[in-house]
Amino acid sequence: MSKAGVVTTREAVGAFEALGFAGRVVDSDVQAAEAVVSLARTGEFGLILLTSDVAGGWIGSEAARSMLVPVVLVVPVTPSDSSVASTAVRRLIENAVGIDLVGKTTEEASHDTR
């Protein structure tokens, strides 16, 4: 059975661990991206949550574009982070099915570099 993990800050990890996630604490976006890749390489995780406050190094990375398993989902930690998480979910769906089912928001379309 696959595990579920979370990559987040020290302040947030306890809440996720209380829900049964294996927590990995990081202090920066770069550490977060490295932690996601490290957890994925173990082959033990089917789902990895990444909180939006440390997701900057992951979103748009080559690993994020190419990794199929485990599922890496960015979750918002504040209301202002919801657009980052929405973009990540949209891209996850697009990578899984091959088309953009959700559609870009106006802000995303103006910043998209693909």
Side-chain angles (χ1 to χ4, degrees), residues 9-96:
T9 61
R10 185 167 318 286
E11 295 79 24
V13 74
F16 289 100
E17 289 177 335
L19 295 171
F21 287 85
R24 178 76 63 94
V25 174
V26 296
D27 295 317
S28 70
D29 290 359
V30 172
Q31 286 180 351
E34 292 169 354
V36 169
V37 171
S38 174
L39 290 174
R41 284 189 179 145
T42 68
E44 298 176 16
F45 293 87
L47 171 67
I48 299 172
L49 298 183
L50 176 61
T51 57
S52 56
D53 54 345
V54 292
W58 174 255
I59 296 173
S61 70
E62 178 58 35
R65 286 190 297 273
S66 63
M67 189 179 296
L68 298 176
V69 176
V71 172
V72 178
L73 183 60
V74 177
V75 294
V77 292
T78 66
S80 64
D81 290 338
S82 63
S83 67
V84 171
S86 296
T87 301
V89 169
R90 184 184 57 75
R91 286 190 177 155
L92 181 66
I93 293 169
E94 184 177 0
N95 286 342

